[in-house]
Amino acid sequence: MSQRANPCDCVHRIDSDGRISFVNDAWLVFAEQNGWPVTAAQVIGSPLMQQIADLETRHIYQLLIDSIRGGGRQARFLYRCDSPDRRRLMEMRVSGRAPGQVEFRSRVLRLEPREPVALLDPRHQNRSSDILTVCSWCKAVLAEQTWVEVEQAVRRLAILTERALPRISHGICPGCSERMKTAGEHR
């Protein structure tokens, strides 16, 4: 069963140097709900790319930012931002503001409750040295050279039968990579 989400926009902006210059209260609440309790003072002034661990994901973000700064008015795309106990379908709009500034505006479009998936719980401390790649946009997992839903990956790789869960690294699946490279063209 899915439900419509609160349409409150989570907003953050970067300045012309790529540093976070603004976050709204909804952004801070969403960050805390996802295991990252920070204050505005802790993130404002930090480079956006420093907050994105995966090299390929940083590259895609930089392409979007460059497109917006190069005259693209707006990019819009859907993505997933799951928590351990729910799937979240989200929409992001990326737009230019004052010279060199870029705004990221996200909102939850749909929530789907599910049984908690320990693999996705950032508070789970018992992690092995194994690394599992998760797509930053659709949340598919690379399992045995195939991108599959997280629940299917847990079954396929027998993750829950192991004493320690693998660490998660973010990347981007081929389908999302192609969609994101053209997202700046949808204005």
Side-chain angles (χ1 to χ4, degrees):
M1 172 169 110
S2 70
Q3 53 193 21
R4 302 239 7 111
N6 182 343
C8 185
D9 288 353
C10 300
V11 179
H12 66 286
R13 296 184 192 122
I14 59 170
D15 62 18
S16 59
D17 293 324
R19 295 185 175 279
I20 298 172
S21 59
F22 171 81
V23 295
N24 69 356
D25 289 339
W27 187 92
L28 292 168
V29 168
F30 193 78
E32 184 171 358
Q33 290 171 345
N34 286 283
W36 194 40
V38 293
T39 65
Q42 289 173 305
V43 294
I44 291 182
S46 66
L48 175 66
M49 295 304 170
Q50 192 176 60
Q51 310 304 323
I52 303 170
D54 174 67
L55 194 58
E56 194 168 0
T57 303
R58 275 191 298 236
H59 175 71
I60 297 292
Y61 264 87
Q62 194 61 59
L63 289 174
L64 284 168
I65 291 166
D66 291 348
S67 173
I68 297 300
R69 287 182 175 155
R73 292 190 349 243
Q74 184 177 82
R76 177 193 167 274
F77 56 91
L78 302 179
Y79 68 104
R80 294 251 309 263
C81 185
D82 292 2
S83 67
D85 65 346
R86 53 181 59 111
R87 290 181 191 91
R88 292 188 195 106
L89 177 64
M90 299 187 70
E91 174 189 59
M92 182 181 285
R93 293 181 184 270
V94 185
S95 58
R97 304 221 5 121
Q101 294 182 357
V102 177
E103 179 176 273
F104 301 83
R105 184 173 291 269
S106 294
R107 76 173 50 193
V108 178
L109 299 177
R110 190 175 65 236
L111 294 171
E112 297 176 6
R114 67 170 169 211
E115 289 296 317
V117 177
L119 177 68
L120 300 178
D121 190 343
R123 297 169 298 182
H124 194 324
Q125 298 298 314
N126 190 16
R127 300 282 177 166
S128 71
S129 61
D130 295 335
I131 297 175
L132 198 59
T133 302
V134 176
C135 179
S136 294
W137 274 269
C138 71
K139 296 306 177 237
V141 175
L142 184 58
E144 299 171 337
Q145 301 181 356
T146 303
W147 291 92
V148 297
E149 284 288 324
V150 67
E151 295 87 352
Q152 186 179 357
V154 167
R155 285 189 305 272
R156 181 182 282 191
L157 300 174
I159 290 172
L160 297 179
T161 62
E162 298 179 18
R163 292 177 49 194
L165 295 175
R167 291 181 290 141
I168 292 178
S169 173
H170 288 88
I172 186 165
C173 71
C176 288
S177 180
E178 286 304 311
R179 282 190 294 280
M180 293 310 298
K181 287 176 183 172
T182 61
E185 298 171 7
H186 303 286
R187 297 179 174 114

